[in-house]
Amino acid sequence: MMTVTRAVTPTLQPGVENKDAPSWLAEPIRHVVKSQQFNREALEHVLKVAREMEQVRPGTDASRQLQGAIMSTLFYEPSTRTRLSFESAMARLGGTILTTESAAEFSSAAKGETLEDTIRTVEGYADVVVLRHFQAGSAERAAKAASIPIINAGDGPGQHPTQALLDVYTIQREIGRLDNFKIGLIGDLANGRTVRSLAYVLSMYPGVKMYFVAPDECRMKDDIKSYLSSVGVDWEEVNDLAMVAADVDVLYQTRIQKERFQDRPEDYEKAKGKYIINGELMKLVKQDAVVMHPLPRVDEIHPEVDSDPRAAYFRQARNGLYVRMALLKLCLQDRALGH
């Protein structure tokens, strides 16, 4: 086992928030740009509303909460789950959807229009924009230009805050708690925006131990490790997946992202297939543990694992619907009520 010793002195105890940080719930425009926006109060309110969203049924008053509101999904990168779950979430709450896929190719961006100009134009047609972009930091740029909520649906290798929220919701639903548990983050930790966002969110809860299991080409970046150390979170970098699988409550697998290795294909070949969850590994996993994955997968979880009740990744994808319904409601609530 390889362990990296933390050299940064903690400025907060694990699970202790900066009480001076403003709550997302008090923001005049509730952009969802990065995980660090959410303090524990705001996060737990989102999770509470997500539980309520599970009970929404067609034809009821609850299914008309966002009637008259319009959502634009503006995707510059491919997506299945994120785009469709946002569109389903809006439809289930009575809203209307304007959508574009492959915006980099089929929008005015192909003519050289800046992201800021696109946002200022689209906000004239919609009440909220759900944005996926290939550049880290693009959601923050969009939010600075916008007078309506911007929801970050993934910005290149940057962050994916709504995925982090649905991951936390899934962990709570599956193992019954968000504190005092161990999680193994596996795969492409350098380029995986999901694991970066999740690490920030879990740092708010006491007693969370994180293991980072990744090929040398894909190790977790120093900014995340330094942040976790600064707030007193216990983490280790480990080579032995079997050891981690036997010890943790949550195995969070990710794919090696080939699209992030276009200029170094040799590194992709070295990294792919190194850490696989299959039937043999599942024999080591605790009976009350779960396996998660943000999807899509390639070969990093063998299909034989799908029938194991500890395989939570399709339930995880379903939970994305409820969390995104909650976020849309909270972002648009005042607008939908005409305030």
Side-chain angles (χ1 to χ4, degrees):
M1 181 178 71
M2 176 183 69
T3 303
V4 176
T5 303
R6 300 181 304 282
V8 181
T9 302
T11 57
L12 293 173
Q13 294 300 311
V16 176
E17 298 181 75
N18 178 0
K19 296 300 183 183
D20 295 327
S23 172
W24 177 78
L25 295 168
E27 294 291 333
I29 301 177
R30 291 176 181 168
H31 300 298
V32 180
V33 172
K34 56 186 178 181
S35 295
Q36 300 95 301
Q37 288 177 266
F38 293 88
N39 61 13
R40 189 161 173 170
E41 174 201 14
L43 176 61
E44 292 182 353
H45 186 68
V46 172
L47 301 185
K48 174 180 176 290
V49 176
R51 287 296 292 268
E52 295 170 2
M53 294 299 100
E54 290 194 34
Q55 307 306 316
V56 173
R57 297 292 180 267
T60 63
D61 288 343
S63 71
R64 293 185 284 270
Q65 294 178 67
L66 295 183
Q67 189 169 353
I70 301 173
M71 176 187 74
S72 172
T73 53
L74 192 59
F75 278 60
Y76 290 78
E77 282 191 324
S79 171
T80 301
R81 277 152 298 278
T82 303
R83 184 170 67 90
L84 292 182
S85 66
F86 264 113
E87 292 178 1
S88 177
M90 192 62 169
R92 287 168 184 261
L93 291 174
T96 303
I97 300 140
L98 303 176
T99 185
T100 179
E101 191 176 16
S102 302
E105 184 179 357
F106 298 116
S107 75
S108 292
K111 302 174 184 178
E113 184 174 63
T114 65
L115 175 63
E116 287 82 358
D117 282 0
T118 298
I119 293 298
R120 291 186 184 106
T121 300
V122 172
E123 71 179 12
Y125 313 140
D127 300 296
V128 59
V129 173
V130 178
L131 174 69
R132 169 165 290 188
H133 202 275
F134 49 86
Q135 291 181 338
S138 55
E140 288 193 83
R141 286 173 49 204
K144 288 176 182 177
S147 60
I148 63 172
I150 301 294
I151 299 179
N152 182 2
D155 59 344
Q159 286 211 37
H160 198 346
T162 71
Q163 180 72 45
L165 295 175
L166 77 89
D167 290 341
V168 169
Y169 186 70
T170 300
I171 292 169
Q172 185 182 65
R173 299 283 273 138
E174 293 288 335
I175 70 171
R177 64 190 188 279
L178 289 173
D179 52 11
N180 299 311
F181 75 95
K182 298 178 181 179
I183 183 170
L185 303 173
I186 310 158
D188 193 348
L189 307 186
N191 300 297
R193 56 198 174 203
T194 62
V195 289
R196 292 173 58 81
S197 293
L198 182 58
Y200 279 123
V201 172
L202 290 179
S203 70
M204 287 188 278
Y205 290 88
V208 176
K209 169 69 178 285
M210 301 184 196
Y211 292 103
F212 301 145
V213 187
D216 289 341
E217 298 77 16
C218 306
R219 290 169 62 180
M220 182 66 84
K221 291 182 179 178
D222 289 342
D223 63 327
I224 298 293
K225 293 184 286 190
S226 295
Y227 175 80
L228 295 176
S229 294
S230 74
V231 296
V233 175
D234 192 8
W235 60 267
E236 293 181 39
E237 287 188 311
V238 179
N239 291 324
D240 188 350
L241 178 57
M243 184 280 291
V244 171
D247 188 45
V248 298
D249 304 288
V250 178
L251 276 176
Y252 192 101
Q253 176 71 291
T254 65
R255 70 184 175 91
I256 306 299
Q257 299 185 32
K258 186 176 183 179
E259 66 271 24
R260 311 293 180 201
F261 288 85
Q262 291 184 5
D263 58 342
R264 34 193 191 102
E266 67 283 355
D267 285 347
Y268 173 75
E269 293 300 323
K270 291 177 186 176
K272 72 172 186 177
K274 185 166 185 179
Y275 294 113
I276 304 292
I277 297 178
N278 55 24
E280 281 302 307
L281 188 80
M282 291 301 292
K283 293 178 182 178
L284 303 174
V285 177
K286 296 189 293 187
Q287 288 303 307
D288 58 353
V290 293
V291 177
M292 296 173 59
H293 192 305
L295 302 175
R297 65 174 165 186
V298 181
D299 58 2
E300 62 277 359
I301 298 181
H302 195 282
E304 67 190 3
V305 177
D306 294 354
S307 59
D308 191 306
R310 294 169 293 180
Y313 31 90
F314 293 117
R315 298 192 293 273
Q316 178 184 354
R318 176 73 177 180
N319 287 337
L321 172 66
Y322 307 127
V323 169
R324 287 164 178 145
M325 288 172 72
L327 287 171
L328 288 171
K329 175 181 176 178
L330 292 170
C331 287
L332 290 172
Q333 196 167 35
D334 290 346
R335 291 171 182 264
L337 292 172
H339 294 168

